[in-house]
Amino acid sequence: MQASQNTITIDGREIPFTAGQTIMDAALAAEVYIPHLCHYPGLPPSGNCRLCVVEIGNRSAAACITQAAAGQEIRNNTSELNAARKALTQMLFVEGNHICPSCEKTGNCKLQAMGYYLGMLEDHFPYFYQRRETDASHPDILLDRSRCILCDLCVRASREVDGKNVFAIAGRGTEAHLIVNSPTGKLADSTMETTDLAATICPVGAILIKEQGYRVPIGQRIYDQHTIRDIGLQEHATKKQEEK
Ligand code: SF4
Ligand code: FES
């Protein structure tokens, strides 16, 4: 299908966009789900998880950092792209210590939910079993770096919404890791509070509010009841409603 002015097509469906909108935002506004882990409505995109890569004509691009342009013909929900997304998800699992049955985030975890959405039945790759520092110094918040997928969401949430800049990612490649901007490098000596968006935005079990882990029983948690697609569309719609 050939798109008309100010529309793109995704998997053959014509979708309107406004100037400056990314493909991700245009898609979600039209209730077309593009899988994502590091995108969050209202935060500037970082383009680091690569789950949202789509095909535009004969090239690939991350939908969250690519502006919509009239006439783009985009493929999103294809078996090839979803297979690549599943492999990426499997790599994220084995790169960290994502042992779902022993993680209190189970059922509320976007990585786990993405695995379900993409039909991931096994980890496929060998686990790294890496050891990264856990920071339990804060009275109310735990940071377990061994589960961090370096999505950068806490960094952006703290900087853009909380106005605090508590987190940063240091190092590159396999050396990349999350650091805390405080005199000691410990969360206890930062300005972080449980009411910060950064305290609740982590898609996995790397940042947890203490003593809440099992308040909602397993089986009644977010992704026990909804798919990550439904929640992704809902998060976008809620943000748009707030902005009105
Ligand atoms: Fe992302 Fe959580 Fe790691 Fe922060 S701690 S970078 S939100 S996975
Ligand atoms: Fe686009 Fe992560 S959602 S790269």
Side-chain angles (χ1 to χ4, degrees), residues 25 32 38 51 67 69 118:
D25 282 332
V32 171
C38 74
L51 263 287
Q67 290 205 349
L118 296 170

Side-chain angles (χ1 to χ4, degrees), residues 59-233:
R59 72 185 176 99
S60 299
C64 69
I65 51 171
T66 306
Q67 290 205 349
Q72 282 170 333
E73 295 192 17
I74 297 161
R75 287 179 300 285
N76 166 48
N77 192 19
T78 69
S79 54
E80 291 81 7
L81 284 169
N82 285 333
R85 289 166 179 153
K86 183 163 88 172
L88 274 175
T89 304
Q90 288 169 317
M91 286 183 225
L92 286 173
F93 260 89
V94 302
E95 198 277 337
N97 296 340
H98 300 287
I99 319 295
C100 300
S102 63
C103 178
E104 64 186 70
K105 189 88 173 195
T106 190
N108 290 329
C109 173
K110 287 186 174 171
L111 183 64
Q112 184 188 41
M114 188 61 74
Y116 284 130
Y117 179 78
L118 296 170
M120 180 183 144
L121 297 176
E122 38 89 39
D123 303 313
H124 191 72
F125 304 106
Y127 264 79
F128 285 23
Y129 292 118
Q130 40 80 355
R131 291 184 181 202
R132 296 197 194 115
E133 192 189 354
T134 297
D135 181 346
S137 62
H138 194 288
D140 303 314
I141 301 162
L142 175 78
L143 171 60
D144 182 348
R145 291 182 176 84
S146 74
R147 297 187 190 129
C148 175
I149 60 171
L150 297 170
C151 69
D152 192 56
L153 279 173
C154 59
V155 178
R156 285 173 278 154
S158 184
R159 186 180 61 225
E160 308 289 335
V161 178
D162 306 329
K164 296 187 178 180
N165 217 18
V166 168
F167 295 107
I169 291 175
R172 312 188 78 178
T174 56
E175 300 299 313
H177 60 284
L178 189 70
I179 59 169
V180 174
N181 290 319
S182 75
T184 58
K186 295 286 186 190
L187 261 189
D189 297 316
S190 75
T191 52
M192 185 131 176
E193 298 167 285
T194 54
T195 49
D196 292 353
L197 180 59
T200 54
I201 200 171
C202 184
V204 293
I207 298 177
L208 295 166
I209 301 196
K210 291 180 178 176
E211 298 181 27
Q212 287 196 0
Y214 292 96
R215 278 197 187 158
V216 178
I218 291 169
Q220 296 175 26
R221 299 180 175 191
I222 298 168
Y223 300 107
D224 295 331
Q225 330 235 14
H226 306 280
T227 65
I228 195 166
R229 173 191 179 278
D230 294 343
I231 298 299
L233 294 177

